[in-house]
Amino acid sequence: MFHRKNKQQKKSQEMLDIDLMEEIGYYQKKPQKKGLDQKIVIALVLVVVVAACVLFSPLFSVKKIEVEGASQFTTSELCKKIGLSKGDNLLLFSKGRAEKTLEKSPYIASAKLSAKLPHTMKITIKERKARGYVPYMGSYLYIDEEGRVLEVADSCRDALPLVKGLKFDSFTEGEILPVQNTDALAVILEISQMMEKYELLDEVVEIDVSKPKDIYAYVNQVQIHLGNMTNGDMKIQYMQQIVKTIPKEDRGILDLSGLDNPKANVTFQYLT
């Protein structure tokens, strides 16, 4: 009995020693793991610090600003709109927000900002072009080839045709003019495209689409009867050719409405 008891005590002592050794080993290893974690944290902090120093250093500062496609705005005007200045960080500048800001202008159809390393920011603009004026309560609405209101002005400052005959009660700048006579708007948009094609936008003083099937245009002191837009391209082309031959002081009526019929003649009647 005594011998068996000693064996049990010896076995219990051995198990206690093993547990004690494992516990000592655990505490010995734990500082090693903690030290490794600290090294990883320090390395990450160093990486972040170095990256921040590079990003915020003059290495990527804006020194040159390029603009492409803009005729309505100067480089300084565009930069002011988006808060871009030389010295700004090329990589951290919010290009997406700047693009959205520029596209709020009715004159800007789309905008794109791109960074050209190491020091250049490029602004690419696609503009809308004014194609005529629409009189409204003592003011003038600039409209583009889609009938979109680009601007409200007190006077007609550019050589563009004055459009008469469109019926509407209100408008929103930047939106297409909500006319009641949509057929008249469709006609004026068609005419403006043809006049741009034949370089007449600077010549035509006034277009009256009150009756979309009986259209009149006015250049200097000449009234031009277009009729409807059947063979419209031919009529605008004839108008471009003939208007150049009529002295600005001459008064008269140029009748192109007969071009609906291939056998008809173009006539010009002088007025005194």
Side-chain angles (χ1 to χ4, degrees), residues 244-263:
K244 289 183 177 180
T245 66
I246 302 174
K248 291 185 177 181
E249 63 273 11
D250 286 2
R251 299 176 64 249
I253 300 174
L254 175 62
D255 191 352
L256 300 176
S257 62
L259 290 177
D260 296 343
N261 183 350
K263 296 181 180 180

Side-chain angles (χ1 to χ4, degrees), residues 126-145:
K126 182 180 179 182
E127 289 184 333
R128 298 185 177 101
K129 304 294 184 181
R131 293 291 180 252
Y133 300 99
V134 179
Y136 180 76
M137 298 180 66
S139 299
Y140 298 91
L141 314 182
Y142 285 59
I143 60 171
D144 69 356
E145 64 274 5

Side-chain angles (χ1 to χ4, degrees), residues 230-245:
T230 303
N231 294 325
D233 190 276
M234 182 187 296
K235 293 177 181 179
I236 301 302
Q237 186 177 9
Y238 266 67
M239 184 170 70
Q240 186 258 3
Q241 294 172 354
I242 296 172
V243 162
K244 289 183 177 180
T245 66

Side-chain angles (χ1 to χ4, degrees), residues 1 28 49-50 76 94 136 142 160 168 171 228 258 270:
M1 290 293 291
Q28 287 178 342
V49 170
V50 171
S76 59
S94 181
Y136 180 76
Y142 285 59
L160 292 170
F168 59 98
F171 68 91
N228 58 41
Y270 280 97

Side-chain angles (χ1 to χ4, degrees), residues 66-77:
E66 296 179 352
V67 174
E68 182 179 304
S71 61
Q72 300 287 336
F73 304 95
T74 64
T75 299
S76 59
E77 287 173 338

Side-chain angles (χ1 to χ4, degrees), residues 194-203 240 244:
M194 294 176 185
M195 288 185 173
E196 180 183 15
K197 176 182 177 181
Y198 294 110
E199 299 180 348
L200 267 170
L201 287 175
D202 292 345
E203 298 288 343
Q240 186 258 3
K244 289 183 177 180

